[in-house]
């Protein structure tokens, strides 16, 4: 029984690692409400592109504010996607042990 459990845990760990790798291909797009700034990053929170409208280049402080707001929103979305995907794989592979409801 213990050997089966260890095998299942190893298989689950491999699936979690594969899911984490797959998150490099899941793209999250976020933009400012006026579409002057657009950001794309992976679900692993790696920035892939930033598009800045010329209008924002005239005001450094405004551009900095836009970058902070849009990047934070994108990072939050990416984190939520990443955590949900990894938790789903981990929960699916966990044995049903009473009192071990870690992924509710």
């Amino acid at each position: 029984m213990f050997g089966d459990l260890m095998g299942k845990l190893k298989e689950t760990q491999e699936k979690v690692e594969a899911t984490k790798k797959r998150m490099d291909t899941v793209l999250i797009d976020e933009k400012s409400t006026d579409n002057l700034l657009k950001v794309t990053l992976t679900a692993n929170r790696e920035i892939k592109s930033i598009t800045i409208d010329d209008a924002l280049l005239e005001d450094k402080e405004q551009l900095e504010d836009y970058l902070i707001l849009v990047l934070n929103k994108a990072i939050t979305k990416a984190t939520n996607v990443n955590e949900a995907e990894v938790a789903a794989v981990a929960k699916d592979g966990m044995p049903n042990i009473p009192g071990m409801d870690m992924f509710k």
Side-chain angles (χ1 to χ4, degrees):
M1 180 176 163
F2 186 69
D4 290 342
L5 178 61
M6 292 306 293
K8 182 80 167 161
L9 291 174
K10 182 173 172 37
E11 180 183 324
T12 299
Q13 180 63 31
E14 289 169 358
K15 286 180 180 178
V16 166
E17 291 304 316
T19 299
K20 286 180 180 179
K21 263 190 170 167
R22 186 174 59 80
M23 293 295 100
D24 283 333
T25 65
V26 176
L27 298 178
I28 308 297
D29 294 314
E30 188 59 58
K31 59 187 175 185
S32 61
T33 54
D34 55 10
N35 293 322
L36 295 179
L37 181 76
K38 298 176 185 174
V39 173
T40 300
L41 63 155
T42 69
N44 279 331
R45 297 165 298 274
E46 179 182 336
I47 297 170
K48 290 297 187 177
S49 71
I50 298 175
T51 305
I52 303 169
D53 189 278
D54 289 341
L56 286 176
L57 298 178
E58 298 170 13
D59 185 346
K60 180 180 181 265
E61 206 171 288
Q62 182 183 20
L63 174 57
E64 290 170 346
D65 290 343
Y66 270 62
L67 283 167
I68 290 168
L69 291 171
V70 175
L71 283 168
N72 280 334
K73 282 173 44 179
I75 290 167
T76 297
K77 278 186 180 179
T79 299
N80 290 341
V81 168
N82 186 298
E83 289 175 355
E85 290 291 323
V86 171
V89 170
K91 181 180 179 183
D92 185 48
M94 292 298 289
N96 189 13
I97 300 172
M100 295 291 290
D101 297 334
M102 298 185 314
F103 300 105
K104 280 189 176 182

